[in-house]
Amino acid sequence: MSTNIFGTFQFNLHCNENTWKLTLVGTINSIGGILGLPISGMLSDRFGRKTILISSVALSALCGVIRSFSNTYTFFLVMEFVDAFSKAGSYPTCFIIGAEFVSPDKRVLISVLINIATSVGGMIVGSVAWAVPTWRMLDQILYGSCFIILSYYWFLPESLRWLLTKKRYEHASRILSTIAKTNRTTLSKEHMNQLFHTEPLLENTETYPLRKLLQSPILTKRFVNCCVCWIFCLFSYYGLTINAISLSNNGYVDFILCMFVEIPGNIAAHFLMNRIGKRYCFTLAFFICGISSASFIFIPHDLSVIRLSVYLLGKCAAAINMTAIYSLTSEIFPTSLRSSLLTSCSMFGRFGIVVASQTPLLELYWQPLPLVLFALTAFAGSILTLRFPETLNETLPNTIEQAENIGRRKTSERI
């Protein structure tokens, strides 16, 4: 439930005969994301994570403000597309920066914190939309506040791993010195120079063209499996979110509850990924999502509390999947290809969002059909995720060989 949905009242899109135009807004948003993700990923690997994050969010903010002055449905759709295209890579880039800045035992925590922040943001969007009387003002408030991202130019450091792959040792030294000062410790230049020029680090700064991935059968099959899992994950996550607004008579409350339930879901993800590993956490969450979606179909409408609880359990499991899939994808590919492949997987996942945006139309033919699809894709995903290597406490791979060998110390590689 994005802010653009609230703008459709002016264009008479809530009439039954115009339902397809309403769902088209979400589809256009997804198509913009599909086209923007691979481009932002390649730009991020070339020009830096920080540069792409700031520029994409700022451009999205500008598009959102311009869209608030739309006077036709067509212009509204055009700006929706440009907005989605601009900000497509911002979310994956946040994960990349977080994953590349911390030790292996803290990567799960970073992933969880980012997802909790997203959930809180969703609750804020629902609350503000409930309180603000017009969609134009809503767009201006929400997107106008995004210009604060420009201040990150002075506060957000560039990814150290990216700097090392580009051999920008002087910039990396300044960041390490700032970190050391913040932690009230010292790091001499001699120590940093020794660190930068040791043989293992020189090996770790190897870069590859994207086509090099296709020469590795292990990584190629892993990438394909990852793309399919992204489609299933985003289809169930966004599908359950979109259809939640019809759970009761107040779509705003339904949406806020769906966002709120993600917080315990992300906390559970942190616990599960650190205890049973990311692969099995991923599998379990998919299975719970499938069971919840299938069970919801058979619960009588008069048992409203039970119906709501089961639905929210499925959304909670879908939120766990979102945390797991970002965390896992950012850890199974080499550094120089990490952002490109993460955004590429996310791009394919957007096809799941395209279909999820149309699920309200499926209810016109058979009301339980969307939930049947959510259940089937979740069960399929629970099987496919077993084919990933376990990355718990593994060091981020910097070379193709290291990526191929992930998890082999603990269990045989499955892909």
Side-chain angles (χ1 to χ4, degrees):
M1 184 173 168
S2 62
T3 60
N4 54 58
I5 296 299
F6 301 107
T8 60
F9 286 108
Q10 177 173 334
F11 306 119
N12 298 320
L13 301 187
H14 278 79
C15 301
N16 290 334
E17 62 271 18
N18 287 331
T19 302
W20 67 272
K21 289 186 177 181
L22 179 60
T23 59
L24 181 61
V25 177
T27 301
I28 292 296
N29 182 286
S30 300
I31 293 174
I34 290 172
L35 298 177
L37 275 166
I39 296 176
S40 65
M42 289 184 289
L43 292 176
S44 175
D45 284 335
R46 181 172 182 178
F47 298 107
R49 323 307 197 198
K50 173 182 175 180
T51 302
I52 299 306
L53 175 62
I54 295 175
S55 58
S56 62
V57 174
L59 185 57
S60 171
L62 179 61
C63 292
V65 172
I66 294 176
R67 186 179 59 216
S68 69
F69 296 98
S70 301
N71 54 11
T72 65
Y73 176 66
T74 301
F75 185 75
F76 187 91
L77 288 181
V78 170
M79 294 312 302
E80 181 68 22
F81 174 85
V82 178
D83 174 23
F85 182 89
S86 303
K87 68 183 177 186
S90 58
Y91 203 72
T93 303
C94 286
F95 276 88
I96 294 295
I97 292 177
E100 293 182 341
F101 249 114
V102 298
S103 58
D105 61 319
K106 295 295 189 297
R107 290 201 298 264
V108 172
L109 178 60
I110 290 296
S111 177
V112 168
L113 290 176
I114 291 175
N115 276 295
I116 288 178
T118 303
S119 302
V120 173
M123 294 170 62
I124 293 174
V125 169
S127 301
V128 175
W130 196 0
V132 174
T134 65
W135 70 270
R136 296 183 187 277
M137 184 183 300
L138 178 66
D139 257 17
Q140 292 163 6
I141 292 174
L142 295 180
Y143 279 87
S145 63
C146 290
F147 283 111
I148 196 174
I149 192 68
L150 296 175
S151 65
Y152 280 48
Y153 177 82
W154 293 277
F155 301 116
L156 180 68
E158 182 57 89
S159 165
L160 282 172
R161 286 181 176 270
W162 180 82
L163 290 173
L164 295 180
T165 62
K166 300 300 181 181
K167 302 186 184 300
R168 295 172 59 175
Y169 300 131
E170 183 178 350
H171 192 170
S173 297
R174 292 198 300 269
I175 294 177
L176 285 174
S177 298
T178 302
I179 294 175
K181 183 178 179 180
T182 302
N183 293 333
R184 297 181 180 179
T185 185
T186 57
L187 189 61
S188 65
K189 290 186 177 180
E190 292 76 14
H191 191 183
M192 283 190 284
N193 288 332
Q194 182 181 4
L195 176 67
F196 292 156
H197 294 89
T198 54
E199 187 64 28
L201 189 57
L202 289 175
E203 175 188 358
N204 289 347
T205 58
E206 186 174 359
T207 60
Y208 310 97
L210 189 58
R211 65 178 179 274
K212 189 75 173 179
L213 174 77
L214 301 178
Q215 299 176 12
S216 169
I218 292 177
L219 295 187
T220 300
K221 288 186 287 185
R222 184 183 298 170
F223 173 70
V224 172
N225 188 41
C226 205
C227 289
V228 175
C229 287
W230 268 88
I231 293 174
F232 291 165
C233 184
L234 292 183
F235 174 67
S236 59
Y237 176 84
Y238 283 95
L240 289 170
T241 302
I242 292 171
N243 288 273
I245 61 174
S246 59
L247 286 176
S248 69
N249 295 325
N250 191 323
Y252 296 105
V253 173
D254 295 335
F255 179 77
I256 293 171
L257 285 176
C258 267
M259 292 293 102
F260 174 78
V261 79
E262 292 186 14
I263 296 178
N266 283 296
I267 294 174
H270 181 243
F271 174 81
L272 290 172
M273 286 194 288
N274 281 322
R275 289 298 183 92
I276 66 176
K278 299 170 186 179
R279 181 177 62 189
Y280 291 124
C281 172
F282 206 176
T283 300
L284 178 62
F286 256 135
F287 185 75
I288 293 175
C289 183
I291 289 292
S292 300
S293 298
S295 301
F296 183 84
I297 299 173
F298 301 100
I299 301 176
H301 286 270
D302 56 337
L303 301 177
S304 57
V305 176
I306 297 178
R307 281 172 58 86
L308 179 62
S309 299
V310 171
Y311 193 96
L312 292 180
L313 176 62
K315 181 59 192 303
C316 180
I320 294 176
N321 276 338
M322 290 298 295
T323 300
I325 198 167
Y326 268 104
S327 180
L328 189 66
T329 308
S330 65
E331 297 175 0
I332 58 178
F333 299 113
T335 297
S336 62
L337 297 176
R338 185 171 298 126
S339 184
S340 297
L341 294 181
L342 174 59
T343 51
S344 295
C345 290
S346 183
M347 177 196 70
F348 282 101
R350 293 277 176 153
F351 287 104
I353 304 179
V354 171
V355 179
S357 301
Q358 301 300 316
T359 51
L361 294 179
L362 299 179
E363 292 184 346
L364 301 178
Y365 300 96
W366 185 39
Q367 189 173 10
L369 184 55
L371 288 162
V372 171
L373 295 177
F374 300 152
L376 290 177
T377 54
F379 288 138
S382 66
I383 297 174
L384 292 177
T385 50
L386 291 173
R387 303 294 299 173
F388 287 117
E390 180 52 62
T391 63
L392 182 63
N393 293 328
E394 290 276 357
T395 302
L396 282 178
N398 292 292
T399 66
I400 286 181
E401 182 180 1
Q402 290 173 359
E404 291 176 335
N405 291 328
I406 289 179
R408 286 185 173 178
R409 291 179 298 180
K410 300 177 181 179
T411 184
S412 60
E413 174 68 280
R414 298 174 183 265
I415 281 187

